[in-house]
Amino acid sequence: MKKITSLVSFLVLMALTVSNLNATPRQMEYLDRGLVAVKITNGVFLSWRFLGTDNPATGFNIYRDNVLVNSTPINTCTNFTDANGTSASVYKVIPVLNGVEDATGIKTVTPWAQQYKTIQLNRPANGITSPNKYGSVGKPATGSFPKGQPYGYSPNDCSVGDVDGDGEYEIIVKWAPSNSQDNSYYGITGDVYIDAYKLDGTQLWRIDLGKNIRAGAHYTQFLVYDFDGDGLAEVVCKTAPGTIDGKGNYVIMTGDDPAADYRSIDTTQLSGSKMLGTIQTGPEYLTLFDGKTGAELNTIAYNPPRGSVSAWGDNYANRSDRFLACVAYLDGVHPSAVMCRGYYTRATLASYDVQNKKLVQHWFYDSGSTSGVGAYGQGNHNLSVADVDSDGKDEIIYGSCAIDDNGTLLYHTGLGHGDAMHVSDMDPDNPGLEVWAVHEETNAAYGYELHDAKTGTVLWGTKTGADNGRGLAADIDSRYPGFEMWSSLGSGTYSCKGTQISTSKPSTNFRIYWDGDLQDELLDGTNITKWNGNGTTTLLSCTGTSSCNSTKATPNLSADILGDWREEVILWTSADSSKLRIYTTTTPTTYRLFTPMHDPVYRLGVAWQNTAYNQPPHLGFYIGDGLANVTQPNIKTIKYNAVISGVQNPVEKQHAAIYNANGILKVNSSEVIHSVSIYSELGRLLYQNDSVQNQEFSRKLPGNEHLVIVKVKTNSGAQTAKVLF
């Protein structure tokens, strides 16, 4: 096993632990046990979640057909092989603490017949474009369709969130038409659809983004998260006139035309401001959707607008229509949506809080148009989120730069654009987190490098003088402390200190926890492999499935959505592209770790995984040398319909907007407000005004509270809302 030898690392770990205990808990999603059972040759394999909020002394009892299977509570791992289990067995797992079982909310499961679960999807109907062609900008067409181009659909990037509050993840699926295009290609595309499915295959809703949202990896980045702390996940993404929500209603702002078509459909235009298939005029929106129904909750203008596309560095909307998105805890407690535009040249980021089911912009960062200044030209095709400066609040690692929690530049390395990046505690001897990045700029000082995530200081790297397209960092070799890392260019695989440990390089795609040890395995396309010191051994080949995003060969999703701390892989079926398969491990492990989905760095990595050139999530701490120093995260889970001092997730009448504006409680009502009452989270009355007699009300929120219950009375009755700050 690897050992952390540095005293500095130990002291930093202790300091962070003390800081963590004193910090306000982060608001995160409530999860059930995620019990999964799989029929295997020698019985039934079961695994379940240890939660980030569990007491470390918690054990578990396993019941088969209501009969206790284990002789003593299981408290060293969260998996079990039942040799007497059959395909007809019914299982449940019950936590035990101090000899007392807690059966609250316990669910039963029956075994999967094989190592994967199939989810039947509702594939959108095929379509045909108007006369079309496609090809690289300014060059002769690769394909031409004078009578229109037929296209079909396959499931593309996915995300997860609990949209109905039952403690179980739903899968949010983006459907990609077969004529999706990169920004540097001309061509009309089909509509993009976003669906929500329960794990039993029940479809909850479908959003049609409409003709004015082009299909491709860089246009639609969607966020699935519980932004307002009501226990239900929402969905945020870019929309436009023509978008239809999950209730069948147009998403439209006042004065705009839902039937307007802003696409360029002139097949003679192969570049420039009217390049075929591009959308370079017309309104652009940002929409908050209800995760349970798909209904539009709030729509605002996308910030920043495209303006003149030439201001972004070209004349055909390549650079101006490159979007990224993430979720970040910018105040250290509550999640915000961060929507981004541009990274090759000008780079912009806007953060939004969700207050009273509305998007409220918090800050906006704009690099401007001067090379070498701020984040200009320093963005990636992806991003990451972590608290890199240990102040309890998240930063956005935007490639070769980082944006602080307050929307200002933290640093830039000056190494320019890149296609891949990884953030975790890769070098246990270096305090804090590190960033492994590859770079596209041929004149960059480093083509691949490891730098300090807090300062941007390069720890080691190599100049390549060429476009280095891919790179991966993962803890694949237990003989060396920290992560190993490698890239498309370079002479082999390196330790976290920059020492070459092998002339061989494994796949450069995704990492994954799959077998029973604490090292990473590798996911590439539809195969999971394990590093053997000088090559790889295949652990699983998911036959009959396909990966996503062409040569990127990424999964629909890789995340810990079921079972213990190992991860699941979601892929789509090749035969008819109408099904998803969820693969789970059946390898026993003796290690017990809380679900990575309760680690903020990992959970936010799953939220941004669908962004542009997909990258795998990483933990925000190092586990390669054991779990002895791992502590439970400082989080507070929000359970839907949990009673808070008599207020039970009230259904709000929409006559008043109740929200926090920089520490000031704001109430704006369409009716005269008679009274406003403010209660603590525990129900203690903090303030009451029974003679407001105005349609607006404001008051500074109490500084020692982080959630209050606000009750507003008008002629229409009482409206109650939770306000986070």
Side-chain angles (χ1 to χ4, degrees):
M1 280 294 178
K2 302 179 181 180
K3 299 295 180 184
I4 299 178
T5 57
S6 170
L7 177 62
V8 173
S9 292
F10 176 76
L11 293 176
V12 169
L13 175 64
M14 293 299 101
L16 290 176
T17 300
V18 172
S19 174
N20 189 51
L21 291 174
N22 293 329
T24 302
R26 289 194 178 207
Q27 165 196 309
M28 296 192 78
E29 60 204 340
Y30 165 82
L31 296 173
D32 65 15
R33 290 295 163 190
L35 177 64
V36 62
V38 181
K39 183 68 182 75
I40 56 176
T41 303
N42 59 333
V44 172
F45 177 82
L46 303 109
S47 72
W48 59 94
R49 290 187 184 109
F50 187 70
L51 302 171
T53 53
D54 278 335
N55 187 311
T58 301
F60 297 91
N61 284 336
I62 302 295
Y63 288 84
R64 181 203 330 116
D65 303 325
N66 288 320
V67 176
L68 182 65
V69 173
N70 50 298
S71 56
T72 59
I74 301 168
N75 55 19
T76 59
C77 64
T78 47
N79 64 94
F80 182 82
T81 300
D82 179 17
N84 296 316
T86 70
S87 298
S89 299
V90 178
Y91 290 95
K92 61 185 176 183
V93 59
I94 300 179
V96 185
L97 184 62
N98 299 323
V100 179
E101 290 187 338
D102 181 5
T104 305
I106 294 301
K107 302 173 184 177
T108 60
V109 303
T110 55
W112 298 359
Q114 58 277 316
Q115 200 170 357
Y116 60 83
K117 176 183 179 66
T118 300
I119 298 179
Q120 178 66 56
L121 305 177
N122 176 22
R123 183 176 57 198
N126 296 344
I128 187 167
T129 68
S130 57
N132 196 20
K133 59 178 66 172
Y134 69 88
S136 183
V137 58
K139 297 181 179 179
T142 303
S144 184
F145 307 91
K147 295 183 179 180
Q149 180 186 13
Y151 60 91
Y153 285 89
S154 60
N156 194 251
D157 298 330
C158 295
S159 194
V160 290
D162 182 7
V163 304
D164 59 6
D166 63 356
E168 178 180 283
Y169 283 121
E170 281 71 53
I171 301 177
I172 312 303
V173 181
K174 182 180 80 171
W175 288 97
S178 55
N179 58 359
S180 297
Q181 294 295 352
D182 184 83
N183 299 50
S184 63
Y185 275 67
Y186 53 84
I188 301 169
T189 72
D191 288 7
V192 175
Y193 298 94
I194 299 177
D195 289 0
Y197 295 90
K198 293 190 68 62
L199 295 181
D200 65 4
T202 301
Q203 183 179 2
L204 300 179
W205 46 259
R206 167 167 292 168
I207 295 167
D208 178 358
L209 292 181
K211 62 183 118 183
N212 293 313
I213 296 291
R214 199 175 189 224
H218 304 289
Y219 297 102
T220 294
Q221 326 302 343
F222 61 101
L223 300 176
V224 183
Y225 216 81
D226 179 10
F227 289 103
D228 61 358
D230 65 354
L232 301 175
E234 293 84 33
V235 178
V236 176
C237 70
K238 185 173 182 283
T239 59
T243 297
I244 300 173
D245 74 4
K247 289 289 192 178
N249 300 314
Y250 279 114
V251 172
I252 196 71
M253 295 183 71
T254 302
D256 293 338
D257 180 3
D261 187 348
Y262 296 103
R263 299 173 299 170
S264 173
I265 58 173
D266 184 345
T267 58
T268 68
Q269 300 293 319
L270 308 186
S271 186
S273 62
K274 296 182 179 180
M275 188 170 86
L276 178 65
T278 59
I279 300 131
Q280 301 188 41
T281 62
E284 300 176 287
Y285 302 155
L286 181 66
T287 299
L288 173 72
F289 293 97
D290 185 281
K292 192 172 185 178
T293 66
E296 173 200 8
L297 294 173
N298 183 225
T299 295
I300 60 177
Y302 195 91
N303 190 29
R306 66 173 70 85
S308 170
V309 298
S310 61
W312 300 84
D314 60 49
N315 68 348
Y316 62 102
N318 179 359
R319 288 167 172 79
S320 63
D321 274 14
R322 300 273 180 164
F323 300 97
L324 302 175
C326 64
V327 179
Y329 288 75
L330 300 172
D331 66 355
V333 179
H334 313 112
S336 299
V338 182
M339 308 304 294
C340 317
R341 184 176 210 144
Y343 41 76
Y344 283 127
T345 52
R346 180 187 177 194
T348 62
L349 299 86
S351 74
Y352 298 89
D353 299 328
V354 174
Q355 299 172 355
N356 197 40
K357 303 300 182 184
K358 296 185 184 300
L359 292 161
V360 179
Q361 185 172 304
H362 183 52
W363 52 249
F364 177 66
Y365 173 83
D366 189 341
S367 70
S369 301
T370 303
S371 179
V373 176
Y376 183 93
Q378 301 300 302
N380 262 30
H381 283 302
N382 32 65
L383 43 59
S384 190
V385 178
D387 175 15
V388 302
D389 56 7
S390 302
D391 65 354
K393 296 175 282 189
D394 286 334
E395 284 70 46
I396 296 100
I397 303 92
Y398 205 66
S400 294
C401 63
I403 306 300
D404 208 348
D405 56 83
N406 61 3
T408 62
L409 183 78
L410 185 63
Y411 65 80
H412 77 235
T413 67
L415 296 172
H417 171 71
D419 287 0
M421 176 181 67
H422 304 271
V423 179
S424 186
D425 186 6
M426 302 181 196
D427 182 350
D429 291 329
N430 185 65
L433 306 178
E434 294 78 41
V435 180
W436 170 251
V438 298
H439 301 285
E440 186 173 299
E441 307 295 339
T442 58
N443 61 351
Y446 301 96
Y448 55 86
E449 46 85 20
L450 183 72
H451 68 257
D452 186 283
K454 177 180 179 180
T455 66
T457 301
V458 174
L459 302 175
W460 66 270
T462 299
K463 181 178 176 63
T464 61
D467 180 351
N468 195 11
R470 293 201 179 193
L472 180 58
D475 182 14
I476 60 172
D477 199 319
S478 62
R479 298 173 298 175
Y480 303 93
F483 280 32
E484 289 69 48
M485 42 210 73
W486 58 101
S487 68
S488 299
L489 301 179
S491 54
T493 301
Y494 300 88
S495 73
C496 67
K497 304 297 186 183
T499 302
Q500 184 174 335
I501 66 170
S502 175
T503 56
S504 297
K505 289 187 286 189
S507 59
T508 315
N509 203 344
F510 267 49
R511 52 135 308 274
I512 187 172
Y513 293 126
W514 191 257
D515 66 6
D517 62 26
L518 295 175
Q519 275 63 55
D520 292 285
E521 284 66 59
L522 300 163
L523 169 63
D524 184 28
T526 62
N527 296 310
I528 295 175
T529 60
K530 187 171 184 64
W531 174 253
N532 59 26
N534 200 39
T536 57
T537 303
T538 299
L539 301 182
L540 179 71
S541 292
C542 303
T543 57
T545 65
S546 293
S547 56
C548 300
N549 301 312
S550 186
T551 59
K552 301 298 183 287
T554 54
N556 295 88
L557 185 70
S558 172
D560 177 27
I561 63 172
L562 290 168
D564 63 24
W565 57 274
R566 275 86 57 84
E567 293 162 287
E568 281 65 50
V569 179
I570 302 180
L571 299 165
W572 57 277
T573 54
S574 307
D576 62 4
S577 71
S578 70
K579 300 180 181 68
L580 292 177
R581 287 186 187 173
I582 305 175
Y583 285 85
T584 192
T585 185
T586 56
T587 303
T589 181
T590 58
Y591 295 102
R592 185 172 82 166
L593 175 67
F594 62 85
T595 172
M597 296 297 259
H598 276 167
D599 169 51
V601 173
Y602 181 93
R603 180 63 185 93
L604 298 180
V606 172
W608 55 245
Q609 187 181 138
N610 67 75
T611 295
Y613 288 177
N614 303 20
Q615 300 287 282
H618 291 274
L619 288 171
F621 53 92
Y622 180 61
I623 66 171
D625 63 349
L627 303 179
N629 293 324
V630 174
T631 58
Q632 294 291 92
N634 187 27
I635 64 172
K636 177 180 179 179
T637 58
I638 307 296
K639 186 176 182 180
Y640 177 63
N641 269 340
V643 176
I644 301 179
S645 303
V647 179
Q648 185 174 13
N649 278 10
V651 177
E652 298 174 359
K653 299 175 182 178
Q654 296 302 313
H655 54 268
I658 306 170
Y659 58 95
N660 166 15
N662 297 319
I664 305 296
L665 171 67
K666 294 283 189 179
V667 181
N668 296 314
S669 177
S670 60
E671 302 175 354
V672 172
I673 303 167
H674 300 315
S675 70
V676 175
S677 303
I678 306 175
Y679 300 87
S680 72
E681 185 176 0
L682 298 177
R684 179 169 58 90
L685 181 64
L686 302 174
Y687 170 85
Q688 185 165 327
N689 185 336
D690 291 325
S691 56
V692 178
Q693 299 306 308
N694 202 319
Q695 290 181 253
E696 297 182 358
F697 173 86
S698 64
R699 182 176 177 81
K700 183 174 175 56
L701 290 164
N704 58 345
E705 301 287 341
H706 297 281
L707 183 150
V708 294
I709 310 299
V710 180
K711 187 174 183 179
V712 176
K713 288 185 179 179
T714 65
N715 285 337
S716 294
Q719 178 177 332
T720 309
K722 301 174 189 175
V723 178
L724 303 163
F725 57 98

